[in-house]
Amino acid sequence: MSETAIPKPHFDKEALRRKYREERDKRVRPDGNEQYIEIKDHLAYYLEDPYVPTTEREPVTDHVTFAFIGGGFSGLVTGARLAEQGITDVRILEKGGDFGGTWYWNRYPGAQCDTAALIYLPLLEETGHMPSEKYVHAPEILEQYQRIGRHYNLYDKALFHTQVKSLVWDEENARWQIETDRGDNFTAQYIGMGTGPLHVPKLPGLPGIEDFKGHSFHTSRWDYEYTGGDPKGAPLSKLADKRVAIIGTGATAVQCIPHLARACKDLCVCQRTPSSVDIRNNEPIDPEWFKSIATPGWQKRWLENFTANQTGQPVDEDLVQDGWTDLSKRVRARISQLPRENLTVEKMMAAYEDSDFEKMEEIRARCNEVVEDQETAELLKAWYQQLCKRPCFHDDYLKAYNEPACHLVDTDGKGVERITEKGVVVAGVEYEVDCIIYASGFEVGTPYERRSGYDTIGRNGVKLSDYWTDGMRTLHGVHVHGFPNMFIVQATQGANLISNYPHNLTECGNTIALMVKHAQDTQARKIEVTREAEDAWLELLLQAPPMMIGSTECTPGYYNNEGQGWGEGVQRATGYPHGPVAYFKYLDEWRTSGDFDGIAFT
Ligand code: NDP
């Protein structure tokens, strides 16, 4: 097929590029990530747990086979796979009052997962759970954590409301020494770490933030005492006489604003950058249909199908059919129309850009279709490529602006200026409110040891933060030389599959359990990646094409370190160069061969 057969886009690409650049430029600020403040000291009350009271307990001083830091999906899937291998002496440590990780904290009204439940929720087949809807709401996600915890007896040794403060490798005894903020001081032969990418809330560093005399809270500590309602969707009845400002319009705000718009006397949405909000099309799952697909091995098939579709691999069908696979299918369709001789990187990037313009034009048009006030509709339009910021999907968000109580206060990219005793100031205008809700997100670009609350000290007293001064170095994103018997459960330097994070974690958990079992079977005391294998992995990773996510060409946000990029280390914040599908296949062969190439069992 000749190139002329490709339908010519009906938009002015140059004008769009110019608009994207202008909108980006007006948002880039010299203080970058420093514009946010760490929540501590006199602001520490923003971190208090409103959901589960802390109970007194005696400190633990024993020894366990495996200690896992973090009670989110990483800890649970690893604990589950260890249990399946007969390793049950496992202790999960968690700063929240229950399992759940990000879903323990994020109980704001409307909280829901943007990835389809059949692939997002781990261990559905093992626990026998059928999700109630295509995109499940937060309470059901939390229940799945608890179900996994009960199913695999992971509650028995878990320590909640507990934060690790010190983690030191003891070479002589081949074990880790762990101390916590609850006075615990115990040892573990192995440790796992799954502290998650988004778990420390942050506040905008606005002048006057401490002066506000009304009520305020962060979305990840939703105050239902104040608002009324509950995470299951009961109306926020106590807000009927309240004027509320919400700061932020990211993925969290998009989900809770419809609930606030219906409940408040007056809602003032302070917007700095609009999110792209595509259709959601959620629907209940029909048990009969579920029965027909839930044949043995179904979840693995669905996971593999989604990953292939989403990452542009040739597949016959798209089982999940959502916004993530839609974008990939569009790009693939355009690329497949390119004549063979035109399959250059430039042409493929141009095809990607065309698909993205097309998609974003649809999303922008939706603002005009749904929002009655056309001035507001214009202000809600996102002027950047879809993957510059976290794409959102919602069917009630735009409609919320048709509620009489809901007012958009657009800041033209500048953000809220300051907070006063009475409310928020935007462009010199004070908006008096009773309550400010910070939907201002989570720390991302800050040092990992600040977010975790401890540094990890490996062999010869080497700190992990020092070992990683020039950027992360691992094998598979999991194993670090000089830090034996330690496993990091996350996606970077592995599959790096962002659209379905738990898939990465489940694969890590599968691998770790097999390795620990192998060590036990061979009576090895230590599992450690060799420096050579770590070097070789890094060399391989550096062949990966630059990531789309994180580009400084994009409008600022946490994806690109607030427009400043990630510096030299960014090249290492990547994944397997051949993509997630190939990575999962490689990893499966690596762990099931029994060789664990590059790992020393001693
Ligand atoms: P984000 O970091 O995405 O959003 C923070 C918001 O605060 C942005 O809109 C930001 O504007 C705004 N902001 C910051 N400072 C100011 C200021 N001074 N004035 C006005 N606005 C300001 O946090 P979220 O909590 O929304 O989302 C975090 C992540 O959590 C998501 O990206 C997603 O990965 C995850 N999430 C996942 C969900 C799921 O379905 N799985 C659901 C919800 C969240 P600006 O954009 O200009 O920086």
Side-chain angles (χ1 to χ4, degrees):
M1 184 185 285
S2 81
E3 204 178 353
T4 48
I6 301 172
K8 286 276 175 249
H10 52 276
F11 37 79
D12 180 345
K13 290 200 269 185
E14 204 31 63
L16 281 174
R17 284 190 199 113
R18 207 166 39 242
K19 175 76 173 159
Y20 285 13
R21 232 175 357 253
E22 282 165 12
E23 292 292 330
R24 169 202 173 272
D25 290 351
K26 77 182 170 202
R27 287 175 172 81
V28 175
R29 18 190 302 170
D31 54 356
N33 215 7
E34 295 297 311
Q35 68 182 282
Y36 292 102
I37 42 176
E38 185 177 4
I39 306 182
K40 59 179 184 179
D41 305 330
H42 55 289
L43 293 173
Y45 63 91
Y46 278 104
L47 294 178
E48 280 168 17
D49 182 350
Y51 312 124
V52 177
T54 305
T55 48
E56 287 303 312
R57 64 168 177 81
E58 289 300 311
V60 299
T61 53
D62 55 357
H63 174 81
V64 292
T65 304
F66 204 113
F68 199 99
I69 304 167
F73 280 143
S74 305
L76 288 171
V77 293
T78 305
R81 293 303 189 222
L82 285 166
E84 285 169 355
Q85 293 296 331
I87 301 149
T88 54
D89 185 24
V90 175
R91 168 171 296 145
I92 296 179
L93 298 118
E94 165 56 46
K95 72 177 169 181
D98 197 345
F99 294 132
T102 194
W103 297 103
Y104 173 84
W105 296 109
N106 286 291
R107 304 185 188 199
Y108 57 84
Q112 182 182 17
C113 185
D114 279 332
T115 302
L118 291 174
I119 52 162
Y120 182 81
L121 293 178
L123 310 181
L124 284 175
E125 216 170 332
E126 290 82 343
T127 55
H129 178 64
M130 179 196 86
S132 63
E133 43 185 355
K134 182 165 180 179
Y135 304 97
V136 286
H137 285 77
E140 188 170 338
I141 303 177
L142 196 53
E143 280 168 18
Q144 179 63 7
Y145 280 94
Q146 293 162 340
R147 192 174 291 113
I148 297 170
R150 287 192 305 271
H151 189 86
Y152 291 97
N153 290 327
L154 297 171
Y155 276 101
D156 290 358
K157 289 200 172 70
L159 298 178
F160 296 118
H161 283 139
T162 301
Q163 294 200 52
V164 171
K165 287 289 149 201
S166 162
L167 186 57
V168 182
W169 172 248
D170 171 356
E171 176 75 13
E172 196 181 322
N173 296 302
R175 55 181 51 178
W176 288 90
Q177 187 81 37
I178 300 148
E179 292 179 42
T180 76
D181 64 346
R182 302 291 297 271
D184 308 304
N185 189 346
F186 67 101
T187 54
Q189 189 180 358
Y190 303 99
I191 54 155
M193 297 198 278
T195 48
L198 297 157
H199 66 108
V200 179
K202 67 184 185 204
L203 292 174
L206 298 172
I209 196 162
E210 293 145 47
D211 301 339
F212 183 58
K213 294 265 190 280
H215 196 69
S216 62
F217 56 88
H218 187 273
T219 45
S220 67
R221 304 288 188 280
W222 195 272
D223 189 350
Y224 283 103
E225 275 293 303
Y226 180 84
T227 64
D230 63 31
K232 294 200 164 153
L236 308 170
S237 53
K238 294 187 185 172
L239 294 180
D241 60 349
K242 299 283 188 298
R243 299 160 303 169
V244 175
I246 181 162
I247 298 183
T249 48
T252 297
V254 163
Q255 294 182 335
C256 64
I257 282 171
H259 294 258
L260 290 168
R262 283 194 290 270
C264 298
K265 179 176 162 205
D266 189 81
L267 176 67
C268 164
V269 180
C270 303
Q271 170 180 273
R272 188 165 68 180
T273 311
S275 281
S276 72
V277 186
D278 202 355
I279 46 173
R280 171 69 305 164
N281 268 344
N282 197 12
E283 54 190 14
I285 288 183
D286 171 11
E288 286 308 311
W289 170 82
F290 182 72
K291 240 191 256 165
S292 73
I293 64 128
T295 52
W298 74 266
Q299 197 173 26
K300 188 166 185 290
R301 285 196 299 279
W302 274 63
L303 283 166
E304 287 171 354
N305 182 270
F306 174 80
T307 308
N309 269 293
Q310 207 270 312
T311 56
Q313 301 295 308
V315 258
D316 294 338
E317 57 177 343
D318 176 5
L319 293 171
V320 174
Q321 300 198 34
D322 69 354
W324 304 107
T325 57
D326 179 49
L327 183 60
S328 305
K329 278 191 295 190
R330 284 171 190 248
V331 176
R332 208 164 53 225
R334 278 193 183 270
I335 290 176
S336 69
Q337 290 172 21
L338 289 174
R340 260 178 164 278
E341 64 277 15
N342 266 347
L343 273 182
T344 61
V345 173
E346 288 74 31
K347 292 276 182 198
M348 288 201 278
M349 290 310 285
Y352 174 81
E353 189 192 40
D354 280 353
S355 312
D356 196 86
F357 279 146
E358 182 186 274
K359 179 88 226 177
M360 289 301 285
E361 284 288 279
E362 283 174 25
I363 292 174
R364 285 188 283 266
R366 208 172 157 240
C367 298
N368 297 105
E369 284 154 24
V370 179
V371 180
E372 286 158 12
D373 177 58
Q374 289 300 298
E375 225 171 284
T376 304
E378 288 305 313
L379 295 171
L380 287 166
K381 290 184 177 175
W383 298 103
Y384 45 79
Q385 289 199 339
Q386 197 185 19
L387 295 183
C388 275
K389 277 198 176 275
R390 169 63 151 69
C392 298
F393 308 90
H394 211 286
D395 293 336
D396 290 330
Y397 174 69
L398 294 172
K399 279 187 203 157
Y401 293 92
N402 299 336
E403 293 283 344
C406 183
H407 304 112
L408 180 67
V409 178
D410 181 61
T411 66
D412 193 27
K414 295 182 187 65
V416 169
E417 209 170 281
R418 63 198 155 88
I419 306 287
T420 64
E421 285 188 6
K422 294 184 184 160
V424 297
V425 177
V426 173
V429 178
E430 185 181 48
Y431 297 82
E432 286 189 22
V433 292
D434 303 299
C435 175
I436 300 177
I437 300 174
Y438 292 99
S440 45
F442 301 86
E443 287 194 18
V444 175
T446 52
Y448 101 91
E449 63 277 12
R450 164 170 144 183
R451 276 175 282 141
S452 326
Y454 62 90
D455 207 342
T456 306
I457 303 187
R459 185 182 293 116
N460 301 326
V462 174
K463 289 182 180 164
L464 187 57
S465 58
D466 287 338
Y467 191 62
W468 282 358
T469 307
D470 299 328
M472 196 173 163
R473 47 179 307 129
T474 67
L475 173 71
H476 304 166
V478 175
H479 318 280
V480 185
H481 181 68
F483 296 78
N485 292 5
M486 178 187 87
F487 307 94
I488 308 175
V489 179
Q490 52 86 49
T492 310
Q493 299 197 350
N496 214 20
L497 178 69
I498 308 294
S499 53
N500 187 19
Y501 209 79
H503 189 180
N504 305 274
L505 311 178
T506 315
E507 290 297 328
C508 283
N510 294 347
T511 313
I512 294 166
L514 287 180
M515 293 178 82
V516 173
K517 179 73 169 50
H518 181 77
Q520 289 194 338
D521 290 348
T522 56
Q523 284 167 12
R525 293 168 77 222
K526 286 189 271 181
I527 301 175
E528 186 179 358
V529 58
T530 64
R531 175 71 190 206
E532 295 70 39
E534 197 181 83
D535 284 342
W537 189 251
L538 214 54
E539 206 173 301
L540 177 74
L541 291 173
L542 295 179
Q543 295 167 16
M547 294 248 300
M548 298 260 195
I549 287 182
S551 161
T552 49
E553 309 257 301
C554 279
T555 190
Y558 78 82
Y559 275 13
N560 65 359
N561 196 23
E562 300 303 327
Q564 300 191 333
W566 296 104
E568 300 249 309
V570 70
Q571 271 184 299
R572 298 189 186 181
T574 184
Y576 189 60
H578 312 297
V581 171
Y583 176 76
F584 291 138
K585 186 166 179 291
Y586 151 80
L587 186 69
D588 196 41
E589 284 164 10
W590 182 85
R591 67 187 170 213
T592 48
S593 72
D595 296 339
F596 303 102
D597 203 18
I599 300 285
F601 289 82
T602 54

